[in-house]
PDB file of all heavy atoms in Angstrom:
ATOM      1  N   GLU A   1       0.826  -1.206   0.000  1.00 92.00           N
ATOM      2  CA  GLU A   1       0.000   0.000   0.000  1.00 92.00           C
ATOM      3  C   GLU A   1       0.857   1.251   0.000  1.00 92.00           C
ATOM      4  O   GLU A   1       0.665   2.146  -0.836  1.00 92.00           O
ATOM      5  CB  GLU A   1      -0.940   0.008   1.199  1.00 92.00           C
ATOM      6  CG  GLU A   1      -1.826   1.250   1.272  1.00 92.00           C
ATOM      7  CD  GLU A   1      -2.727   1.261   2.490  1.00 92.00           C
ATOM      8  OE1 GLU A   1      -2.941   0.203   3.104  1.00 92.00           O
ATOM      9  OE2 GLU A   1      -3.204   2.365   2.839  1.00 92.00           O
ATOM     10  N   TYR A   2       1.823   1.346   0.926  1.00 92.00           N
ATOM     11  CA  TYR A   2       2.593   2.596   0.978  1.00 92.00           C
ATOM     12  C   TYR A   2       3.478   2.762  -0.253  1.00 92.00           C
ATOM     13  O   TYR A   2       3.822   3.878  -0.636  1.00 92.00           O
ATOM     14  CB  TYR A   2       3.364   2.771   2.277  1.00 92.00           C
ATOM     15  CG  TYR A   2       4.518   1.851   2.609  1.00 92.00           C
ATOM     16  CD1 TYR A   2       5.689   1.828   1.853  1.00 92.00           C
ATOM     17  CD2 TYR A   2       4.481   1.056   3.761  1.00 92.00           C
ATOM     18  CE1 TYR A   2       6.767   1.026   2.203  1.00 92.00           C
ATOM     19  CE2 TYR A   2       5.550   0.258   4.121  1.00 92.00           C
ATOM     20  CZ  TYR A   2       6.694   0.238   3.342  1.00 92.00           C
ATOM     21  OH  TYR A   2       7.759  -0.557   3.701  1.00 92.00           O
ATOM     22  N   GLY A   3       3.813   1.654  -0.917  1.00 89.00           N
ATOM     23  CA  GLY A   3       4.595   1.757  -2.139  1.00 89.00           C
ATOM     24  C   GLY A   3       3.836   2.393  -3.285  1.00 89.00           C
ATOM     25  O   GLY A   3       4.444   2.881  -4.245  1.00 89.00           O
ATOM     26  N   ARG A   4       2.494   2.426  -3.189  1.00 91.00           N
ATOM     27  CA  ARG A   4       1.665   3.016  -4.249  1.00 91.00           C
ATOM     28  C   ARG A   4       1.229   4.445  -3.930  1.00 91.00           C
ATOM     29  O   ARG A   4       0.685   5.124  -4.801  1.00 91.00           O
ATOM     30  CB  ARG A   4       0.408   2.158  -4.474  1.00 91.00           C
ATOM     31  CG  ARG A   4       0.668   0.766  -5.023  1.00 91.00           C
ATOM     32  CD  ARG A   4      -0.629   0.135  -5.507  1.00 91.00           C
ATOM     33  NE  ARG A   4      -1.628   0.044  -4.451  1.00 91.00           N
ATOM     34  CZ  ARG A   4      -1.811  -1.017  -3.672  1.00 91.00           C
ATOM     35  NH1 ARG A   4      -1.024  -2.077  -3.818  1.00 91.00           N
ATOM     36  NH2 ARG A   4      -2.737  -1.029  -2.742  1.00 91.00           N
ATOM     37  N   LEU A   5       1.441   4.889  -2.695  1.00 90.00           N
ATOM     38  CA  LEU A   5       0.958   6.210  -2.302  1.00 90.00           C
ATOM     39  C   LEU A   5       1.837   7.319  -2.891  1.00 90.00           C
ATOM     40  O   LEU A   5       3.049   7.148  -3.052  1.00 90.00           O
ATOM     41  CB  LEU A   5       0.942   6.344  -0.782  1.00 90.00           C
ATOM     42  CG  LEU A   5       0.033   5.390  -0.001  1.00 90.00           C
ATOM     43  CD1 LEU A   5       0.202   5.613   1.493  1.00 90.00           C
ATOM     44  CD2 LEU A   5      -1.414   5.571  -0.408  1.00 90.00           C
ATOM     45  N   SER A   6       1.225   8.448  -3.189  1.00 88.00           N
ATOM     46  CA  SER A   6       1.993   9.630  -3.569  1.00 88.00           C
ATOM     47  C   SER A   6       2.686  10.162  -2.322  1.00 88.00           C
ATOM     48  O   SER A   6       2.279   9.845  -1.189  1.00 88.00           O
ATOM     49  CB  SER A   6       1.078  10.706  -4.144  1.00 88.00           C
ATOM     50  OG  SER A   6       0.239  11.231  -3.129  1.00 88.00           O
ATOM     51  N   PRO A   7       3.738  10.980  -2.479  1.00 86.00           N
ATOM     52  CA  PRO A   7       4.414  11.522  -1.291  1.00 86.00           C
ATOM     53  C   PRO A   7       3.465  12.224  -0.323  1.00 86.00           C
ATOM     54  O   PRO A   7       3.578  12.044   0.895  1.00 86.00           O
ATOM     55  CB  PRO A   7       5.438  12.489  -1.885  1.00 86.00           C
ATOM     56  CG  PRO A   7       5.785  11.878  -3.212  1.00 86.00           C
ATOM     57  CD  PRO A   7       4.478  11.312  -3.714  1.00 86.00           C
ATOM     58  N   SER A   8       2.528  13.021  -0.821  1.00 87.00           N
ATOM     59  CA  SER A   8       1.621  13.728   0.085  1.00 87.00           C
ATOM     60  C   SER A   8       0.697  12.757   0.806  1.00 87.00           C
ATOM     61  O   SER A   8       0.413  12.924   2.000  1.00 87.00           O
ATOM     62  CB  SER A   8       0.806  14.774  -0.684  1.00 87.00           C
ATOM     63  OG  SER A   8       0.019  14.179  -1.700  1.00 87.00           O
ATOM     64  N   GLN A   9       0.224  11.734   0.110  1.00 90.00           N
ATOM     65  CA  GLN A   9      -0.625  10.728   0.761  1.00 90.00           C
ATOM     66  C   GLN A   9       0.165   9.966   1.819  1.00 90.00           C
ATOM     67  O   GLN A   9      -0.337   9.697   2.915  1.00 90.00           O
ATOM     68  CB  GLN A   9      -1.159   9.752  -0.284  1.00 90.00           C
ATOM     69  CG  GLN A   9      -2.177  10.330  -1.242  1.00 90.00           C
ATOM     70  CD  GLN A   9      -2.512   9.358  -2.366  1.00 90.00           C
ATOM     71  OE1 GLN A   9      -1.640   8.614  -2.848  1.00 90.00           O
ATOM     72  NE2 GLN A   9      -3.765   9.353  -2.794  1.00 90.00           N
ATOM     73  N   GLN A  10       1.392   9.634   1.477  1.00 89.00           N
ATOM     74  CA  GLN A  10       2.221   8.855   2.383  1.00 89.00           C
ATOM     75  C   GLN A  10       2.564   9.651   3.641  1.00 89.00           C
ATOM     76  O   GLN A  10       2.566   9.118   4.748  1.00 89.00           O
ATOM     77  CB  GLN A  10       3.491   8.425   1.630  1.00 89.00           C
ATOM     78  CG  GLN A  10       4.193   7.244   2.233  1.00 89.00           C
ATOM     79  CD  GLN A  10       5.305   7.688   3.151  1.00 89.00           C
ATOM     80  OE1 GLN A  10       5.567   8.872   3.314  1.00 89.00           O
ATOM     81  NE2 GLN A  10       5.943   6.727   3.768  1.00 89.00           N
ATOM     82  N   MET A  11       2.804  10.946   3.483  1.00 90.00           N
ATOM     83  CA  MET A  11       3.094  11.770   4.652  1.00 90.00           C
ATOM     84  C   MET A  11       1.897  11.834   5.584  1.00 90.00           C
ATOM     85  O   MET A  11       2.042  11.794   6.814  1.00 90.00           O
ATOM     86  CB  MET A  11       3.519  13.167   4.215  1.00 90.00           C
ATOM     87  CG  MET A  11       4.883  13.204   3.525  1.00 90.00           C
ATOM     88  SD  MET A  11       5.347  14.837   2.922  1.00 90.00           S
ATOM     89  CE  MET A  11       5.865  15.615   4.450  1.00 90.00           C
ATOM     90  N   ARG A  12       0.705  11.930   5.027  1.00 91.00           N
ATOM     91  CA  ARG A  12      -0.496  11.962   5.877  1.00 91.00           C
ATOM     92  C   ARG A  12      -0.731  10.625   6.557  1.00 91.00           C
ATOM     93  O   ARG A  12      -1.226  10.581   7.686  1.00 91.00           O
ATOM     94  CB  ARG A  12      -1.717  12.357   5.044  1.00 91.00           C
ATOM     95  CG  ARG A  12      -1.708  13.808   4.575  1.00 91.00           C
ATOM     96  CD  ARG A  12      -3.073  14.241   4.064  1.00 91.00           C
ATOM     97  NE  ARG A  12      -3.473  13.504   2.878  1.00 91.00           N
ATOM     98  CZ  ARG A  12      -3.182  13.840   1.635  1.00 91.00           C
ATOM     99  NH1 ARG A  12      -2.441  14.915   1.402  1.00 91.00           N
ATOM    100  NH2 ARG A  12      -3.602  13.129   0.608  1.00 91.00           N
ATOM    101  N   ALA A  13      -0.380   9.538   5.896  1.00 91.00           N
ATOM    102  CA  ALA A  13      -0.675   8.215   6.427  1.00 91.00           C
ATOM    103  C   ALA A  13       0.359   7.718   7.427  1.00 91.00           C
ATOM    104  O   ALA A  13       0.024   6.968   8.349  1.00 91.00           O
ATOM    105  CB  ALA A  13      -0.781   7.206   5.269  1.00 91.00           C
ATOM    106  N   MET A  14       1.641   8.144   7.269  1.00 93.00           N
ATOM    107  CA  MET A  14       2.708   7.485   8.010  1.00 93.00           C
ATOM    108  C   MET A  14       3.628   8.415   8.794  1.00 93.00           C
ATOM    109  O   MET A  14       4.287   7.978   9.731  1.00 93.00           O
ATOM    110  CB  MET A  14       3.555   6.642   7.043  1.00 93.00           C
ATOM    111  CG  MET A  14       2.737   5.561   6.347  1.00 93.00           C
ATOM    112  SD  MET A  14       3.667   4.673   5.074  1.00 93.00           S
ATOM    113  CE  MET A  14       4.797   3.720   6.094  1.00 93.00           C
ATOM    114  N   TRP A  15       3.707   9.675   8.402  1.00 94.00           N
ATOM    115  CA  TRP A  15       4.545  10.608   9.147  1.00 94.00           C
ATOM    116  C   TRP A  15       3.785  11.177  10.351  1.00 94.00           C
ATOM    117  O   TRP A  15       2.582  11.412  10.274  1.00 94.00           O
ATOM    118  CB  TRP A  15       4.957  11.789   8.258  1.00 94.00           C
ATOM    119  CG  TRP A  15       5.998  11.478   7.220  1.00 94.00           C
ATOM    120  CD1 TRP A  15       5.784  11.302   5.888  1.00 94.00           C
ATOM    121  CD2 TRP A  15       7.395  11.306   7.429  1.00 94.00           C
ATOM    122  NE1 TRP A  15       6.976  11.042   5.245  1.00 94.00           N
ATOM    123  CE2 TRP A  15       7.981  11.043   6.173  1.00 94.00           C
ATOM    124  CE3 TRP A  15       8.214  11.368   8.555  1.00 94.00           C
ATOM    125  CZ2 TRP A  15       9.349  10.829   6.011  1.00 94.00           C
ATOM    126  CZ3 TRP A  15       9.577  11.152   8.402  1.00 94.00           C
ATOM    127  CH2 TRP A  15      10.128  10.896   7.142  1.00 94.00           C
ATOM    128  N   ARG A  16       4.470  11.409  11.412  1.00 94.00           N
ATOM    129  CA  ARG A  16       3.855  12.099  12.557  1.00 94.00           C
ATOM    130  C   ARG A  16       3.548  13.529  12.160  1.00 94.00           C
ATOM    131  O   ARG A  16       4.381  14.228  11.586  1.00 94.00           O
ATOM    132  CB  ARG A  16       4.788  12.067  13.776  1.00 94.00           C
ATOM    133  CG  ARG A  16       4.156  12.685  15.020  1.00 94.00           C
ATOM    134  CD  ARG A  16       4.997  12.419  16.250  1.00 94.00           C
ATOM    135  NE  ARG A  16       4.988  11.004  16.595  1.00 94.00           N
ATOM    136  CZ  ARG A  16       4.028  10.388  17.298  1.00 94.00           C
ATOM    137  NH1 ARG A  16       2.970  11.084  17.730  1.00 94.00           N
ATOM    138  NH2 ARG A  16       4.105   9.105  17.567  1.00 94.00           N
ATOM    139  N   ASP A  17       2.337  13.963  12.457  1.00 93.00           N
ATOM    140  CA  ASP A  17       1.879  15.317  12.116  1.00 93.00           C
ATOM    141  C   ASP A  17       2.047  15.614  10.631  1.00 93.00           C
ATOM    142  O   ASP A  17       2.290  16.760  10.235  1.00 93.00           O
ATOM    143  CB  ASP A  17       2.622  16.378  12.930  1.00 93.00           C
ATOM    144  CG  ASP A  17       2.345  16.273  14.422  1.00 93.00           C
ATOM    145  OD1 ASP A  17       1.226  15.848  14.780  1.00 93.00           O
ATOM    146  OD2 ASP A  17       3.232  16.605  15.213  1.00 93.00           O
ATOM    147  N   ALA A  18       1.934  14.579   9.800  1.00 90.00           N
ATOM    148  CA  ALA A  18       2.090  14.729   8.345  1.00 90.00           C
ATOM    149  C   ALA A  18       3.408  15.408   7.983  1.00 90.00           C
ATOM    150  O   ALA A  18       3.516  16.143   7.006  1.00 90.00           O
ATOM    151  CB  ALA A  18       0.914  15.502   7.752  1.00 90.00           C
ATOM    152  N   GLY A  19       4.438  15.143   8.783  1.00 90.00           N
ATOM    153  CA  GLY A  19       5.754  15.712   8.511  1.00 90.00           C
ATOM    154  C   GLY A  19       5.953  17.112   9.036  1.00 90.00           C
ATOM    155  O   GLY A  19       6.963  17.745   8.722  1.00 90.00           O
ATOM    156  N   LEU A  20       5.031  17.617   9.860  1.00 90.00           N
ATOM    157  CA  LEU A  20       5.104  19.002  10.323  1.00 90.00           C
ATOM    158  C   LEU A  20       5.453  19.097  11.808  1.00 90.00           C
ATOM    159  O   LEU A  20       4.977  19.978  12.525  1.00 90.00           O
ATOM    160  CB  LEU A  20       3.783  19.724  10.041  1.00 90.00           C
ATOM    161  CG  LEU A  20       3.428  19.865   8.552  1.00 90.00           C
ATOM    162  CD1 LEU A  20       2.069  20.525   8.389  1.00 90.00           C
ATOM    163  CD2 LEU A  20       4.507  20.662   7.820  1.00 90.00           C
ATOM    164  N   THR A  21       6.291  18.181  12.286  1.00 94.00           N
ATOM    165  CA  THR A  21       6.777  18.246  13.655  1.00 94.00           C
ATOM    166  C   THR A  21       8.007  19.154  13.704  1.00 94.00           C
ATOM    167  O   THR A  21       8.875  19.061  12.829  1.00 94.00           O
ATOM    168  CB  THR A  21       7.161  16.842  14.155  1.00 94.00           C
ATOM    169  OG1 THR A  21       6.024  15.983  14.048  1.00 94.00           O
ATOM    170  CG2 THR A  21       7.617  16.874  15.602  1.00 94.00           C
ATOM    171  N   PHE A  22       8.083  20.011  14.711  1.00 95.00           N
ATOM    172  CA  PHE A  22       9.184  20.968  14.785  1.00 95.00           C
ATOM    173  C   PHE A  22       9.806  20.995  16.179  1.00 95.00           C
ATOM    174  O   PHE A  22       9.160  20.684  17.169  1.00 95.00           O
ATOM    175  CB  PHE A  22       8.691  22.384  14.450  1.00 95.00           C
ATOM    176  CG  PHE A  22       8.398  22.593  12.998  1.00 95.00           C
ATOM    177  CD1 PHE A  22       7.130  22.318  12.497  1.00 95.00           C
ATOM    178  CD2 PHE A  22       9.385  23.049  12.139  1.00 95.00           C
ATOM    179  CE1 PHE A  22       6.854  22.502  11.148  1.00 95.00           C
ATOM    180  CE2 PHE A  22       9.108  23.235  10.788  1.00 95.00           C
ATOM    181  CZ  PHE A  22       7.848  22.963  10.291  1.00 95.00           C
ATOM    182  N   ALA A  23      11.088  21.376  16.197  1.00 97.00           N
ATOM    183  CA  ALA A  23      11.745  21.800  17.428  1.00 97.00           C
ATOM    184  C   ALA A  23      11.862  23.319  17.336  1.00 97.00           C
ATOM    185  O   ALA A  23      12.405  23.846  16.355  1.00 97.00           O
ATOM    186  CB  ALA A  23      13.121  21.164  17.563  1.00 97.00           C
ATOM    187  N   VAL A  24      11.345  24.006  18.320  1.00 97.00           N
ATOM    188  CA  VAL A  24      11.289  25.466  18.291  1.00 97.00           C
ATOM    189  C   VAL A  24      12.644  26.049  18.663  1.00 97.00           C
ATOM    190  O   VAL A  24      13.190  25.758  19.728  1.00 97.00           O
ATOM    191  CB  VAL A  24      10.210  25.985  19.263  1.00 97.00           C
ATOM    192  CG1 VAL A  24      10.188  27.515  19.276  1.00 97.00           C
ATOM    193  CG2 VAL A  24       8.841  25.433  18.873  1.00 97.00           C
ATOM    194  N   GLY A  25      13.196  26.850  17.761  1.00 97.00           N
ATOM    195  CA  GLY A  25      14.498  27.448  18.015  1.00 97.00           C
ATOM    196  C   GLY A  25      14.448  28.458  19.151  1.00 97.00           C
ATOM    197  O   GLY A  25      13.542  29.293  19.209  1.00 97.00           O
ATOM    198  N   VAL A  26      15.415  28.385  20.047  1.00 96.00           N
ATOM    199  CA  VAL A  26      15.534  29.309  21.173  1.00 96.00           C
ATOM    200  C   VAL A  26      16.805  30.125  20.991  1.00 96.00           C
ATOM    201  O   VAL A  26      17.857  29.587  20.616  1.00 96.00           O
ATOM    202  CB  VAL A  26      15.579  28.541  22.512  1.00 96.00           C
ATOM    203  CG1 VAL A  26      15.796  29.500  23.672  1.00 96.00           C
ATOM    204  CG2 VAL A  26      14.305  27.735  22.703  1.00 96.00           C
ATOM    205  N   GLY A  27      16.739  31.421  21.257  1.00 94.00           N
ATOM    206  CA  GLY A  27      17.898  32.265  21.040  1.00 94.00           C
ATOM    207  C   GLY A  27      18.192  32.367  19.547  1.00 94.00           C
ATOM    208  O   GLY A  27      17.275  32.409  18.722  1.00 94.00           O
ATOM    209  N   ASP A  28      19.446  32.381  19.191  1.00 95.00           N
ATOM    210  CA  ASP A  28      19.835  32.502  17.784  1.00 95.00           C
ATOM    211  C   ASP A  28      19.915  31.118  17.147  1.00 95.00           C
ATOM    212  O   ASP A  28      20.962  30.677  16.683  1.00 95.00           O
ATOM    213  CB  ASP A  28      21.174  33.221  17.672  1.00 95.00           C
ATOM    214  CG  ASP A  28      21.486  33.623  16.234  1.00 95.00           C
ATOM    215  OD1 ASP A  28      20.538  33.745  15.432  1.00 95.00           O
ATOM    216  OD2 ASP A  28      22.677  33.800  15.919  1.00 95.00           O
ATOM    217  N   SER A  29      18.766  30.436  17.128  1.00 97.00           N
ATOM    218  CA  SER A  29      18.698  29.062  16.629  1.00 97.00           C
ATOM    219  C   SER A  29      17.583  28.931  15.600  1.00 97.00           C
ATOM    220  O   SER A  29      16.559  29.618  15.694  1.00 97.00           O
ATOM    221  CB  SER A  29      18.430  28.082  17.780  1.00 97.00           C
ATOM    222  OG  SER A  29      19.394  28.218  18.804  1.00 97.00           O
ATOM    223  N   PRO A  30      17.747  28.046  14.627  1.00 97.00           N
ATOM    224  CA  PRO A  30      16.693  27.868  13.624  1.00 97.00           C
ATOM    225  C   PRO A  30      15.521  27.052  14.158  1.00 97.00           C
ATOM    226  O   PRO A  30      15.658  26.291  15.123  1.00 97.00           O
ATOM    227  CB  PRO A  30      17.409  27.116  12.500  1.00 97.00           C
ATOM    228  CG  PRO A  30      18.487  26.349  13.198  1.00 97.00           C
ATOM    229  CD  PRO A  30      18.928  27.220  14.345  1.00 97.00           C
ATOM    230  N   MET A  31      14.381  27.221  13.539  1.00 97.00           N
ATOM    231  CA  MET A  31      13.264  26.303  13.724  1.00 97.00           C
ATOM    232  C   MET A  31      13.614  25.047  12.923  1.00 97.00           C
ATOM    233  O   MET A  31      13.984  25.130  11.750  1.00 97.00           O
ATOM    234  CB  MET A  31      11.972  26.923  13.196  1.00 97.00           C
ATOM    235  CG  MET A  31      10.756  26.053  13.380  1.00 97.00           C
ATOM    236  SD  MET A  31      10.055  26.200  15.033  1.00 97.00           S
ATOM    237  CE  MET A  31       9.228  27.785  14.916  1.00 97.00           C
ATOM    238  N   ILE A  32      13.526  23.870  13.551  1.00 97.00           N
ATOM    239  CA  ILE A  32      13.979  22.649  12.900  1.00 97.00           C
ATOM    240  C   ILE A  32      12.801  21.716  12.660  1.00 97.00           C
ATOM    241  O   ILE A  32      12.100  21.324  13.597  1.00 97.00           O
ATOM    242  CB  ILE A  32      15.052  21.931  13.735  1.00 97.00           C
ATOM    243  CG1 ILE A  32      16.233  22.884  14.003  1.00 97.00           C
ATOM    244  CG2 ILE A  32      15.540  20.671  13.019  1.00 97.00           C
ATOM    245  CD1 ILE A  32      17.318  22.293  14.876  1.00 97.00           C
ATOM    246  N   ASN A  33      12.581  21.364  11.414  1.00 96.00           N
ATOM    247  CA  ASN A  33      11.563  20.380  11.050  1.00 96.00           C
ATOM    248  C   ASN A  33      12.116  18.995  11.364  1.00 96.00           C
ATOM    249  O   ASN A  33      13.113  18.566  10.779  1.00 96.00           O
ATOM    250  CB  ASN A  33      11.246  20.503   9.558  1.00 96.00           C
ATOM    251  CG  ASN A  33      10.228  19.499   9.058  1.00 96.00           C
ATOM    252  OD1 ASN A  33      10.240  19.124   7.894  1.00 96.00           O
ATOM    253  ND2 ASN A  33       9.336  19.055   9.923  1.00 96.00           N
ATOM    254  N   VAL A  34      11.489  18.298  12.322  1.00 96.00           N
ATOM    255  CA  VAL A  34      11.962  16.986  12.766  1.00 96.00           C
ATOM    256  C   VAL A  34      10.963  15.936  12.288  1.00 96.00           C
ATOM    257  O   VAL A  34       9.880  15.790  12.858  1.00 96.00           O
ATOM    258  CB  VAL A  34      12.123  16.929  14.295  1.00 96.00           C
ATOM    259  CG1 VAL A  34      12.740  15.601  14.712  1.00 96.00           C
ATOM    260  CG2 VAL A  34      12.990  18.084  14.790  1.00 96.00           C
ATOM    261  N   MET A  35      11.326  15.234  11.230  1.00 92.00           N
ATOM    262  CA  MET A  35      10.399  14.274  10.627  1.00 92.00           C
ATOM    263  C   MET A  35      10.598  12.888  11.232  1.00 92.00           C
ATOM    264  O   MET A  35      11.730  12.429  11.386  1.00 92.00           O
ATOM    265  CB  MET A  35      10.590  14.243   9.117  1.00 92.00           C
ATOM    266  CG  MET A  35      10.356  15.595   8.456  1.00 92.00           C
ATOM    267  SD  MET A  35      10.544  15.571   6.662  1.00 92.00           S
ATOM    268  CE  MET A  35       8.988  14.803   6.197  1.00 92.00           C
ATOM    269  N   MET A  36       9.490  12.245  11.597  1.00 94.00           N
ATOM    270  CA  MET A  36       9.539  10.914  12.182  1.00 94.00           C
ATOM    271  C   MET A  36       8.267  10.158  11.850  1.00 94.00           C
ATOM    272  O   MET A  36       7.224  10.752  11.573  1.00 94.00           O
ATOM    273  CB  MET A  36       9.751  10.992  13.697  1.00 94.00           C
ATOM    274  CG  MET A  36       8.648  11.689  14.458  1.00 94.00           C
ATOM    275  SD  MET A  36       9.083  12.056  16.178  1.00 94.00           S
ATOM    276  CE  MET A  36       9.981  13.581  15.981  1.00 94.00           C
ATOM    277  N   GLY A  37       8.358   8.847  11.867  1.00 94.00           N
ATOM    278  CA  GLY A  37       7.224   8.024  11.489  1.00 94.00           C
ATOM    279  C   GLY A  37       6.245   7.806  12.619  1.00 94.00           C
ATOM    280  O   GLY A  37       6.599   7.864  13.803  1.00 94.00           O
ATOM    281  N   LYS A  38       4.995   7.550  12.263  1.00 96.00           N
ATOM    282  CA  LYS A  38       3.974   7.109  13.205  1.00 96.00           C
ATOM    283  C   LYS A  38       3.172   6.027  12.498  1.00 96.00           C
ATOM    284  O   LYS A  38       2.100   6.261  11.947  1.00 96.00           O
ATOM    285  CB  LYS A  38       3.067   8.264  13.648  1.00 96.00           C
ATOM    286  CG  LYS A  38       2.136   7.859  14.810  1.00 96.00           C
ATOM    287  CD  LYS A  38       1.290   9.018  15.308  1.00 96.00           C
ATOM    288  CE  LYS A  38       0.127   9.295  14.392  1.00 96.00           C
ATOM    289  NZ  LYS A  38      -0.823  10.276  14.970  1.00 96.00           N
ATOM    290  N   CYS A  39       3.725   4.821  12.502  1.00 96.00           N
ATOM    291  CA  CYS A  39       3.139   3.705  11.770  1.00 96.00           C
ATOM    292  C   CYS A  39       3.864   2.438  12.195  1.00 96.00           C
ATOM    293  O   CYS A  39       4.888   2.493  12.879  1.00 96.00           O
ATOM    294  CB  CYS A  39       3.299   3.910  10.255  1.00 96.00           C
ATOM    295  SG  CYS A  39       5.030   4.069   9.736  1.00 96.00           S
ATOM    296  N   VAL A  40       3.348   1.296  11.799  1.00 97.00           N
ATOM    297  CA  VAL A  40       4.044   0.040  12.049  1.00 97.00           C
ATOM    298  C   VAL A  40       5.360   0.064  11.267  1.00 97.00           C
ATOM    299  O   VAL A  40       5.379   0.289  10.060  1.00 97.00           O
ATOM    300  CB  VAL A  40       3.184  -1.157  11.628  1.00 97.00           C
ATOM    301  CG1 VAL A  40       3.999  -2.455  11.695  1.00 97.00           C
ATOM    302  CG2 VAL A  40       1.947  -1.269  12.517  1.00 97.00           C
ATOM    303  N   GLY A  41       6.460  -0.138  11.974  1.00 96.00           N
ATOM    304  CA  GLY A  41       7.783  -0.018  11.373  1.00 96.00           C
ATOM    305  C   GLY A  41       8.441   1.308  11.657  1.00 96.00           C
ATOM    306  O   GLY A  41       9.638   1.475  11.454  1.00 96.00           O
ATOM    307  N   GLY A  42       7.651   2.281  12.122  1.00 95.00           N
ATOM    308  CA  GLY A  42       8.187   3.571  12.519  1.00 95.00           C
ATOM    309  C   GLY A  42       9.008   4.248  11.443  1.00 95.00           C
ATOM    310  O   GLY A  42       8.786   4.061  10.239  1.00 95.00           O
ATOM    311  N   SER A  43       9.987   5.026  11.871  1.00 95.00           N
ATOM    312  CA  SER A  43      10.809   5.785  10.935  1.00 95.00           C
ATOM    313  C   SER A  43      11.669   4.895  10.051  1.00 95.00           C
ATOM    314  O   SER A  43      12.186   5.356   9.029  1.00 95.00           O
ATOM    315  CB  SER A  43      11.704   6.762  11.703  1.00 95.00           C
ATOM    316  OG  SER A  43      10.932   7.695  12.427  1.00 95.00           O
ATOM    317  N   SER A  44      11.795   3.629  10.429  1.00 95.00           N
ATOM    318  CA  SER A  44      12.546   2.694   9.584  1.00 95.00           C
ATOM    319  C   SER A  44      11.979   2.628   8.171  1.00 95.00           C
ATOM    320  O   SER A  44      12.726   2.454   7.202  1.00 95.00           O
ATOM    321  CB  SER A  44      12.520   1.293  10.213  1.00 95.00           C
ATOM    322  OG  SER A  44      13.008   0.316   9.328  1.00 95.00           O
ATOM    323  N   THR A  45      10.668   2.791   8.046  1.00 95.00           N
ATOM    324  CA  THR A  45      10.032   2.724   6.719  1.00 95.00           C
ATOM    325  C   THR A  45      10.270   3.995   5.915  1.00 95.00           C
ATOM    326  O   THR A  45      10.019   4.026   4.708  1.00 95.00           O
ATOM    327  CB  THR A  45       8.514   2.510   6.845  1.00 95.00           C
ATOM    328  OG1 THR A  45       7.931   3.639   7.514  1.00 95.00           O
ATOM    329  CG2 THR A  45       8.202   1.251   7.639  1.00 95.00           C
ATOM    330  N   LEU A  46      10.776   5.063   6.577  1.00 93.00           N
ATOM    331  CA  LEU A  46      10.811   6.389   5.973  1.00 93.00           C
ATOM    332  C   LEU A  46      12.209   6.986   5.870  1.00 93.00           C
ATOM    333  O   LEU A  46      12.352   8.117   5.407  1.00 93.00           O
ATOM    334  CB  LEU A  46       9.929   7.338   6.796  1.00 93.00           C
ATOM    335  CG  LEU A  46       8.493   6.833   7.034  1.00 93.00           C
ATOM    336  CD1 LEU A  46       7.807   7.680   8.073  1.00 93.00           C
ATOM    337  CD2 LEU A  46       7.721   6.820   5.746  1.00 93.00           C
TER     338      LEU A  46
END
């Protein structure tokens, strides 16, 4: 199934927060997009 999904479909189905998880920068630090899986197999699949 995930092999047939488009990237946007796959992000909604398997990424945590559809890939929109962040670490908030403090001080002179960037906002960091932290992508991780939320599915059977976790980030290993991604």
Side-chain angles (χ1 to χ4, degrees):
E1 179 182 342
Y2 67 65
R4 294 193 302 267
L5 298 177
S6 69
S8 60
Q9 290 172 324
Q10 201 264 359
M11 291 177 78
R12 291 194 296 272
M14 300 174 71
W15 286 104
R16 184 170 292 277
D17 296 329
L20 296 177
T21 303
F22 287 89
V24 178
V26 176
D28 192 23
S29 305
M31 182 83 76
I32 303 177
N33 178 208
V34 185
M35 301 181 77
M36 62 192 83
K38 189 177 78 171
C39 59
V40 171
S43 298
S44 169
T45 63
L46 307 168

